[in-house]
Amino acid sequence: METNQLQNNDAEMTIDISKIFNVISRKKWTILIVTIISALLGIFIAINIPNEYSSQVQILPELESKDGAGGLSKFKSLAGLAGVDLGSLSSTEAVRPDLYPNIIQSTPFLMDVLNLEIFVSKYKRKMTMSAFLEENKKQELATKIFGESEDSDKDMPVINSKNIPLETIHLNKKQDNLIKDLQKRVGATLDKKTGVISISAKMQDPVIAATIVRYCQDYLTDYVVNYRTEKTLKDIKFLEERLNEAKRRYDNALFSYSSYQDRNKSLFLNIAKDEGKKLQYEVDLSYNLYSELAKQLEEAKIKVHRETPIFKVLEPAQIPVKKSEPKRSVMVLGFAFLGLILSIFVVLARNYKELGFLG
């Protein structure tokens, strides 16, 4: 009895599937027309989407050495003869490579990019990055159909610039939208296995894409170098000022002592001898101070050289010769497939009674 029931269920299923194919066959022209219309819509959208070009640069940052002297330990004995102590140079932590993408996505950097003057091959002239993005916004299909959105600052409270704290960024809505657009177009990734940093930019102009990638590379390397050496460079400037003062002090002390000796070649009074000793002490003190500052200055210069990171460019920025987006053929096929599926679904839904979907 169970076998007969299974056979009846299989027969009902066969009948249902045949009904579905019959309905689809009867409405094939409707389905075909809807599919063609969807494909034409996909063609229209694909044609009106501007080309996007991607450029990428790959760099390998210098990794921290396990040697506390930054690889200069082999020069310790030689530097010791000159009175320079390399052992006192402690290592400084660098910006971790996993933070490099955050630097590229930071608002101060993107504001610099917006003010960057670039050459636009499409218009054969130079313009700022912000003007280029605004012009691209006008060429988008959504803007042509629905018009430009009004990003006014009417809803924002009135802020007096005098009340804004120092080093605080104040953006209007227009600038905020441009920065968000740039954050989608510019980025960096870190390969944790190899340590390679990949910086990429996607723009509607191939020359601009390569220009922005190179600018990101220079900004990132300068940022890391400045982070590593800023403190030591300030120390060098301070030591140079103190060294000049110490030199003037030593020269004055030496001149005073030499003048005193010239005036007092034959000394009989103890008071005069004591005065000479004081001048001699001043010369010795000035010389020792000058010598110590000179040694510290040389140590600081060596420290700057040691702490300056090296970035090896594995793949330089290139002007792309092919577009990266959009994939127009994929878009057209996707719209055609979507139209096919929707048309079949609508046809079956309208003939649900014939198919017996409700029993």
Side-chain angles (χ1 to χ4, degrees):
M1 184 174 179
E2 291 181 356
T3 303
N4 294 334
Q5 186 176 0
L6 291 174
Q7 291 178 351
N8 292 334
N9 291 337
D10 291 340
E12 291 178 1
M13 181 63 68
T14 303
I15 294 173
D16 291 340
I17 293 176
S18 63
K19 287 181 179 181
I20 291 174
F21 278 107
N22 288 334
V23 172
I24 293 175
S25 178
R26 192 168 65 248
K27 299 293 184 178
K28 61 183 178 181
W29 292 110
T30 301
I31 296 174
L32 180 61
I33 291 173
V34 173
T35 303
I36 293 175
I37 293 175
S38 298
L40 292 175
L41 178 61
I43 293 174
F44 173 76
I45 294 176
I47 291 176
N48 284 276
I49 294 179
N51 293 334
E52 298 281 353
Y53 300 88
S54 296
S55 183
Q56 180 176 277
V57 62
Q58 291 183 339
I59 57 177
L60 181 63
E62 179 187 17
L63 298 179
E64 278 292 300
S65 174
K66 294 182 180 179
D67 185 2
L72 294 179
S73 57
K74 57 184 178 181
F75 298 114
K76 282 185 178 180
S77 59
L78 182 61
L81 297 176
V84 178
D85 182 17
L86 292 182
S88 63
L89 302 180
S90 59
S91 61
T92 303
E93 292 295 328
V95 181
R96 299 201 314 269
D98 57 336
L99 294 178
Y100 290 175
N102 300 79
I103 297 173
I104 298 299
Q105 291 282 301
S106 64
T107 300
F109 167 70
L110 296 177
M111 290 180 65
D112 290 341
V113 174
L114 289 178
N115 297 324
L116 182 66
E117 191 176 54
I118 53 176
F119 177 79
V120 184
S121 57
K122 179 180 179 181
Y123 304 117
K124 306 296 182 183
R125 61 186 177 89
K126 288 186 175 182
M127 57 194 309
T128 61
M129 190 64 193
S130 58
F132 173 73
L133 293 176
E134 291 175 6
E135 191 65 28
N136 289 343
K137 187 69 175 178
K138 296 178 182 178
Q139 303 300 324
E140 292 181 359
L141 181 61
T143 305
K144 293 179 179 178
I145 297 176
F146 304 104
E148 296 185 34
S149 58
E150 296 182 359
D151 295 327
S152 62
D153 299 330
K154 295 180 180 179
D155 298 334
M156 297 183 63
V158 179
I159 301 176
N160 190 348
S161 58
K162 297 181 180 180
N163 299 329
I164 300 177
L166 295 176
E167 298 184 0
T168 301
I169 299 175
H170 181 215
L171 302 175
N172 54 38
K173 287 187 176 181
K174 184 178 181 180
Q175 292 173 325
D176 184 62
N177 290 335
L178 290 176
I179 287 178
K180 289 180 179 178
D181 187 18
L182 271 180
Q183 287 177 337
K184 298 176 183 178
R185 295 179 174 274
V186 180
T189 57
L190 168 66
D191 189 336
K192 295 184 178 180
K193 293 183 179 179
T194 61
V196 175
I197 305 296
S198 298
I199 305 174
S200 61
K202 182 177 66 176
M203 296 290 167
Q204 295 182 13
D205 188 289
V207 178
I208 296 178
T211 302
I212 296 301
V213 163
R214 182 53 193 269
Y215 184 78
C216 292
Q217 174 190 337
D218 294 340
Y219 182 91
L220 182 61
T221 53
D222 291 343
Y223 184 94
V224 177
V225 169
N226 291 336
Y227 180 88
R228 289 288 301 273
T229 61
E230 182 179 9
K231 174 65 168 59
T232 308
L233 289 175
K234 289 182 178 179
D235 291 343
I236 289 177
K237 184 178 179 180
F238 174 79
L239 288 172
E240 287 176 341
E241 294 174 353
R242 301 290 80 78
L243 184 65
N244 292 330
E245 294 179 1
K247 187 177 184 302
R248 289 194 297 267
R249 178 180 175 180
Y250 171 70
D251 291 340
N252 293 334
L254 185 61
F255 178 78
S256 299
Y257 181 64
S258 299
S259 299
Y260 171 82
Q261 286 183 323
D262 291 339
R263 293 193 307 268
N264 302 273
K265 293 184 178 180
S266 299
L267 299 178
F268 300 100
L269 298 177
N270 290 330
I271 296 178
K273 292 181 180 180
D274 292 341
E275 182 66 22
K277 290 180 180 180
K278 290 181 181 179
L279 292 175
Q280 179 65 51
Y281 293 155
E282 180 64 23
V283 171
D284 294 340
L285 180 62
S286 301
Y287 176 77
N288 291 335
L289 177 61
Y290 175 78
S291 178
E292 181 64 24
L293 288 174
K295 185 177 71 172
Q296 292 183 11
L297 180 61
E298 291 303 317
E299 291 177 355
K301 289 180 179 180
I302 294 175
K303 188 176 181 181
V304 168
H305 177 76
R306 178 180 62 83
E307 292 183 348
T308 301
I310 299 175
F311 290 85
K312 181 65 177 178
V313 179
L314 302 179
E315 187 68 32
Q318 298 181 8
I319 298 177
V321 295
K322 294 182 179 180
K323 64 179 179 65
S324 57
E325 294 179 8
K327 307 293 184 182
R328 291 187 171 88
S329 58
V330 176
M331 290 183 62
V332 174
L333 291 176
F335 271 87
F337 181 75
L338 181 62
L340 176 64
I341 297 299
L342 289 178
S343 59
I344 292 175
F345 177 78
V346 172
V347 166
L348 295 179
R350 289 185 175 181
N351 295 272
Y352 69 93
K353 293 182 179 180
E354 180 182 345
L355 297 174
F357 287 160
L358 300 180

